[in-house]
């Protein structure tokens, strides 16, 4: 049976040329009303009253502009759907956000911290200047510059929270009391397609009842546009095509169609199927030019939708129009529709908006849904080219239609009823620079006949446990543990791996101030540091120049992937997904942007408040001296630079270099990022959208920026992390990466794979309360949602791999939530541990590290110990469960008919909660 359609019940649109849904539809249906050649603008002039969202001014100043815009767009979308003054009829409402590249606050915070070094160099240069006035005021100049940069670039304890992409969905959930899953993701210009796909999977498997999907793109940095240009992508005047990178933010509210009809919602259109495929080719990232991959995605979409391509009357093109890739997209459509192509109209809102990159797929779906709703076929208007003239193919922004039978009308026209009867249908196509392609099938909704297609409607899955997901390979690298075997030894040793960070990581003279809170200093020097590999000998072969230009997290993940896929990649069949928990703003990109903004630091230094006592010629000489002394990040822009600036590039590298037909993406959900990535992968496997998955997390938080920002919020331990100890006072950062290879259990058995353990359930929730403080109710909700998916209870779980932040509040909240859930019918005490006591808090990789330790425990039958427990915090009330904090490794006996079972708890900034249930392989 084909899956139930997913209804689009709310829309919001915010673009430079279309502020609101009505304006967006006017642009799509009557593009001649505006100058199609006008230079695309931005969204800086959009004013948003953040106070309406309950955000205090102190936090508002630390929020990224995209976060503010998405809050407003979320409000518009819920209002458009009729939920302005009333709550959605379920608390299982997910918020899925798509964005790409760094955000303004991330760049500002990084530049402010880099500015500390620049101010120091200014002081030293002034101190040796031949100018008496410069030498006399050297120290004052450095102090004034730091103060000025703080005023211009901001500086607040809330900076760390306000800058994160993962905070955006969390902030939206808190503002509108939405208590489902919250995550942000990125997959270059396939980002919005993947966000929609994850939301649709969640609706169809019953893990959510509504999903708010948002995707946004801003032009935050000239460096990014330079990297796109060097890749040959952003020159619309080029002979072989190109695009203009433009801004846009949009949102869709999705529900199962039966729920939308039940709730009396207006339905714009329904999504029947959404398919993605990946063209895995080693080397620099590029758009797929394979007609076969694009056609395979389309054929799979129609097969799953249960309709024929001939029933489609309109195709919206969201795939970038760069030469051979655009022609491949057109050829695939021509092959698919054959003789019916003359009855198919083609359009593209991208030709009007420009390429809104992370937002592109959502803009295309929005335009198509509105066209279906209004029963109007949009015109095609290319930049600078009358729609009736399709002979100059290179001038077309999106598609090369010359020589095909497709139609492209110069004006909007009524959408006729299908000749064969039935509903009006449309398709949306898209592509990503990393090699992915997408094909969606949409259908008009007839409000007069809500049950017109009852064969499609299905009940949400009941309490039958879904098929287990098998972990068939695992790998990792953490401080003192370059592989799984050493990881197991380290995390059973009862000795942590923390050490003073190397001088090249933390300049103590500039950035270390023990026992004090500061906006530009760290009060700790400890960490669990991992140096990113400088070379990658052997397979996969990557040129030294390209490897050196990758972000450190990408290089580490590639090294770890060799452990995971050694000999396994060749045996993977079908289609897959690579979902990696990671920061959506790679360190390499932030540093490169800081280097490009050196003139901004120089302009601040030349400000009258800093060097106003000097004559202009002395200022110029002093700044020239500082420029020579200042150790700016070394940035070489070349046509491979963009690959290192993409967060999803971690996953794309794994897919492409191992030639895996697996759609890549990065997932950010604060410190629960890798748990969220696992959830995405499990949903894809259980929905049948993927046959295998590579999942995990990677982050390198042992860097000056993260140390300073976390210190400002008081999150770090003054000594070392000691989860659940009476002396716990915060966490210690640690670098690392862990990856897992997953299949459905039945497929793993069929293929003869070794199974290390089974993922039985992933429960998730959002507190919808504080962005910083964890909440007992929210964590309890995630735990109970996990147990709703399985046929056993909390009393059957013997080990809990806790998140273990090492903060008093975090530890107490986590144990209190566990007490509410795990205290029922226990036959033996629940053993609790946290891998953070050994390797520190690895941020986006934290959940993956916890999962790795829990899988090793259930596989090998050993309950692992904590490190650094001197005295368990008596406020934890472990006796109420009952539970024990493990201080030494103990045997974990197995029982006939009762496999060893463990849980992994993971939560993060923004009230994000995930709870995993795993068990040993019974076979």
């Amino acid at each position: 049976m084909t899956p139930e359609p997913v209804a689009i019940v709310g829309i919001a649109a915010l673009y430079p040329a279309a502020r609101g849904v009505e304006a967006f539809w006017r642009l799509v249906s009557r593009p001649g009303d505006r100058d199609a050649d006008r230079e695309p603008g931005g969204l800086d002039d959009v004013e948003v009253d953040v106070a309406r969202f309950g955000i205090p001014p102190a936090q508002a100043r630390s929020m990224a502009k995209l976060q503010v815009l998405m809050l407003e767009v979320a409000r518009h979308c819920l209002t458009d759907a009729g939920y302005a003054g009333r709550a959605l009829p379920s608390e299982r409402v997910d918020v899925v956000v798509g964005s790409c590249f760094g955000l303004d606050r991330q760049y500002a915070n990084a530049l402010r911290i880099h500015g500390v070094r620049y101010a120091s160099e200014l002081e030293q240069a002034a101190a040796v200047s031949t100018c008496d006035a410069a030498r006399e005021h050297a120290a004052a100049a450095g102090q004034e510059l730091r103060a000025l940069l703080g005023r211009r670039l901001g500086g607040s304890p809330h900076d760390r929270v306000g800058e994160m992409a993962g905070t955006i969905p969390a902030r939206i959930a808190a503002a509108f009391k939405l208590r489902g899953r919250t995550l942000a993701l990125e997959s270059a210009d396939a980002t919005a397609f993947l966000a929609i796909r994850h939301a649709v999977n969640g609706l169809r498997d019953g893990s959510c009842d509504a999903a708010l999907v948002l995707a946004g793109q801003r032009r935050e940095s000239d460096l990014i546009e330079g990297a796109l240009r060097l890749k040959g992508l952003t020159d619309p005047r080029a002979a072989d095509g190109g695009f203009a990178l433009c801004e846009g933010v949009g949102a869709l509210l999705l529900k199962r169609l039966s729920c939308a009809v039940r709730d009396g919602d207006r339905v714009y259109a329904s999504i029947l199927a959404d398919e993605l495929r990946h063209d895995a080719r080693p080397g620099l990232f590029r758009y797929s030019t394979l007609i076969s991959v694009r056609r395979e995605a389309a054929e799979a979409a129609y097969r799953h939708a249960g309709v024929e391509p001939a029933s489609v009357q309109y195709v919206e093109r969201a795939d970038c129009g760069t030469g051979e890739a655009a022609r491949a997209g057109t050829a695939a459509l021509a092959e698919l529709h054959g003789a019916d192509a003359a009855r198919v109209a083609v359009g593209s809102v991208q030709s009007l908006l420009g390429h809104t990159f992370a937002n592109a797929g959502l803009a295309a779906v929005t335009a198509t849904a509105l066209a279906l709703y209004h029963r109007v076929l949009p015109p095609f208007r290319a930049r600078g080219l009358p729609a009736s003239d399709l002979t100059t193919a290179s001038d077309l922004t999106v598609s090369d239609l010359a020589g095909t039978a497709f139609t492209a009308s110069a004006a909007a026209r009524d959408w006729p009823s299908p000749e064969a009867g039935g509903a009006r249908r449309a398709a949306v196509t898209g592509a990503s620079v990393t090699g992915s392609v997408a094909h969606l099938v949409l259908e008009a909704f007839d409000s007069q006949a809500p049950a017109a297609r009852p064969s499609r409607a299905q009940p949400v899955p009941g309490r039958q446990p879904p098929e287990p997901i098998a972990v068939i390979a695992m790998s990792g690298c953490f401080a003192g543990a370059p592989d799984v075997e050493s990881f197991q030894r380290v995390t059973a040793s009862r000795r942590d791996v923390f050490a003073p960070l190397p001088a090249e990581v933390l300049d103590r003279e500039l950035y270390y101030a023990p026992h004090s809170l500061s906006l530009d200093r760290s009060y700790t020097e400890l960490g669990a540091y991992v140096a990113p590999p400088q070379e990658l000998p052997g397979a996969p072969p990557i040129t030294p120049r390209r490897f050196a230009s990758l972000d450190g997290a990408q290089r580490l993940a590639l090294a770890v992937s060799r452990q995971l896929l050694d000999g396994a990649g060749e045996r993977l069949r079908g289609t897959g997904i690579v979902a990696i928990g990671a920061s959506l703003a790679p360190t390499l990109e932030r540093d490169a942007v800081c280097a490009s903004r050196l003139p901004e630091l120089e302009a601040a230094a030349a400000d009258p408040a800093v060097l106003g006592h000097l004559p202009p010629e002395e200022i110029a000489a002093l700044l020239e001296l500082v420029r020579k002394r200042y150790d700016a990040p070394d940035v070489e822009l070349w046509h491979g630079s963009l690959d290192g600036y993409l967060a999803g590039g971690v996953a794309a590298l794994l897919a492409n270099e191992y030639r895996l037909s697996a759609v890549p993406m990065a997932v950010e959900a604060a410190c629960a990022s890798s748990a969220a990535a696992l959830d995405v992968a499990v949903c894809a496997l259980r929905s049948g959208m993927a046959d295998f998955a590579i999942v995990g997390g990677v982050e390198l938080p042992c860097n000056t920026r993260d140390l300073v920002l976390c210190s400002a919020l008081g999150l770090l331990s003054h000594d070392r992390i000691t989860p659940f100890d009476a002396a716990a006072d915060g966490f210690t950062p640690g670098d690392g990466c862990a990856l897992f290879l997953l299949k459905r259990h039945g497929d793993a058995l069929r293929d003869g794979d070794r199974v290390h353990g089974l993922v039985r359930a992933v429960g998730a929730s959002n507190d919808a309360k504080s962005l910083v403080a964890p909440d007992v109710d929210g964590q309890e909700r995630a735990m109970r949602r996990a147990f709703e998916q399985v046929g056993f209870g909390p009393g059957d779980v013997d080990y809990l791999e806790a998140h273990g932040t090492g903060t008093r509040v975090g530890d107490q909240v986590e144990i209190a939530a566990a007490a509410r859930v795990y205290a029922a019918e226990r036959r033996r005490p629940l053993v609790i541990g946290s891998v953070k006591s050994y390797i520190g808090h690895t941020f986006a990789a934290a959940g993956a590290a916890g999962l790795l330790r829990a899988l090793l425990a259930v596989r090998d039958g050993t309950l692992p110990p904590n490190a650094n427990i001197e005295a368990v915090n008596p406020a934890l009330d472990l006796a109420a469960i009952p539970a024990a904090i493990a201080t030494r490794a103990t045997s974990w006996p197995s029982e006939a008919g009762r496999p060893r079972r463990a849980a992994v708890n993971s939560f993060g900034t923004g009230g994000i909660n995930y709870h995993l249930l795993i068990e040993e392989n019974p076979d």
Side-chain angles (χ1 to χ4, degrees), residues 121-286:
E121 296 294 351
L122 178 66
E123 286 184 25
Q124 296 180 50
V128 299
S129 170
T130 59
C131 176
D132 292 342
R135 292 197 305 274
E136 181 180 348
H137 295 90
Q143 293 172 2
E144 288 292 341
L145 178 57
R146 284 192 290 271
L148 180 61
L149 290 175
R151 292 192 296 272
R152 289 186 177 181
L153 299 173
S156 160
H158 303 284
D159 286 342
R160 173 64 181 170
V161 177
E163 72 165 18
M164 296 163 56
T167 302
I168 299 175
R171 181 78 76 176
I172 293 169
F176 301 103
K177 306 304 179 188
L178 310 177
R179 295 183 171 86
R181 298 174 293 190
T182 50
L183 69 153
L185 56 83
E186 186 261 286
S187 187
D189 30 356
T191 294
F193 291 111
L194 277 160
I196 292 170
R197 182 179 187 177
H198 180 57
V200 168
N201 283 348
L203 287 163
R204 286 178 171 162
D205 70 16
S207 55
C208 69
D209 295 316
L212 184 59
V213 180
L214 304 97
Q217 186 67 57
R218 295 194 70 225
R219 299 165 66 186
E220 306 274 22
S221 165
D222 291 341
L223 179 95
I224 297 302
E225 297 197 62
L228 287 165
R229 185 172 58 254
L230 284 171
K231 212 170 185 66
L233 300 179
T234 55
D235 185 1
R237 297 164 299 179
D240 207 21
F243 59 74
L245 180 66
C246 298
E247 297 192 352
V249 184
L252 304 172
L253 182 63
L254 308 179
K255 286 185 178 181
R256 290 181 292 275
L257 181 58
S258 58
C259 294
V261 172
R262 178 200 65 197
D263 298 337
D265 296 317
R266 171 190 51 198
V267 177
Y268 284 105
S270 295
I271 299 172
L272 303 185
D274 55 322
E275 289 291 330
L276 287 99
R277 292 292 186 271
H278 189 70
D279 178 7
R281 290 183 296 170
L284 296 176
F285 297 161
R286 53 204 182 276

Side-chain angles (χ1 to χ4, degrees), residues 109-121 146 149 501-526 591 594 601 630-631 633 703-709 711-712 716:
N109 292 336
L111 187 62
R112 178 172 59 81
I113 294 167
H114 277 276
V116 172
R117 180 175 297 281
Y118 187 90
S120 174
E121 296 294 351
R146 284 192 290 271
L149 290 175
L501 294 170
E504 62 269 23
V505 174
L506 179 65
D507 184 327
R508 285 159 177 77
E509 183 177 350
L510 291 179
Y511 295 109
Y512 179 47
H515 314 301
S516 65
L517 283 175
S518 168
L519 294 180
D520 54 15
R521 302 287 192 277
S522 169
Y523 55 75
T524 185
E525 62 173 345
L526 288 182
D591 287 347
C594 285
L601 296 178
Y630 177 57
D631 185 22
N703 62 74
T704 300
R705 183 193 66 249
D706 283 325
L707 285 168
V708 169
L709 294 179
S711 287
L716 301 181

Side-chain angles (χ1 to χ4, degrees), residues 293-430:
V293 171
R294 295 169 183 263
R295 180 165 180 172
E296 180 186 345
E299 289 173 339
Y302 292 115
R303 184 169 61 251
H304 290 143
V307 301
E308 295 295 326
S311 67
V312 164
Q313 298 169 282
Y314 176 74
V315 175
E316 172 74 23
R317 296 287 300 273
D319 40 357
C320 167
T322 51
E324 188 180 355
R327 290 189 286 273
T330 301
L333 288 172
E335 286 186 7
L336 189 72
H337 291 280
D340 296 314
R343 295 196 294 270
V344 179
V346 175
S348 175
V349 72
Q350 194 172 98
S351 65
L352 302 170
L353 300 174
H355 190 19
T356 55
F357 216 72
N359 167 267
L362 196 141
V365 171
T366 297
T368 307
L370 289 170
L372 286 164
Y373 179 72
H374 290 287
R375 301 182 181 183
V376 170
L377 288 168
F380 184 93
R381 177 63 60 88
R383 185 187 303 276
L385 184 71
S388 57
D389 182 2
L390 300 177
T391 58
T392 313
S394 62
D395 287 341
L396 292 178
T397 309
V398 176
S399 58
D400 177 4
L401 301 181
T404 73
F406 295 111
T407 63
S409 175
R413 53 194 174 94
D414 290 341
W415 193 320
S417 298
E419 294 178 4
R424 295 173 176 83
R425 297 192 188 107
V428 178
T429 67

Side-chain angles (χ1 to χ4, degrees), residues 629-681:
R629 296 171 56 98
Y630 177 57
D631 185 22
D634 185 20
V635 177
E636 178 199 12
L637 272 181
W638 66 299
H639 59 276
S641 295
L642 182 73
D643 299 9
Y645 299 160
L646 290 168
V650 176
L653 278 165
L654 270 58
N656 290 349
E657 297 304 324
Y658 288 99
R659 297 182 180 272
L660 302 175
S661 178
V663 178
M665 62 189 295
V667 178
E668 185 183 317
C671 305
S673 295
S674 47
L678 179 74
D679 187 36
V680 172

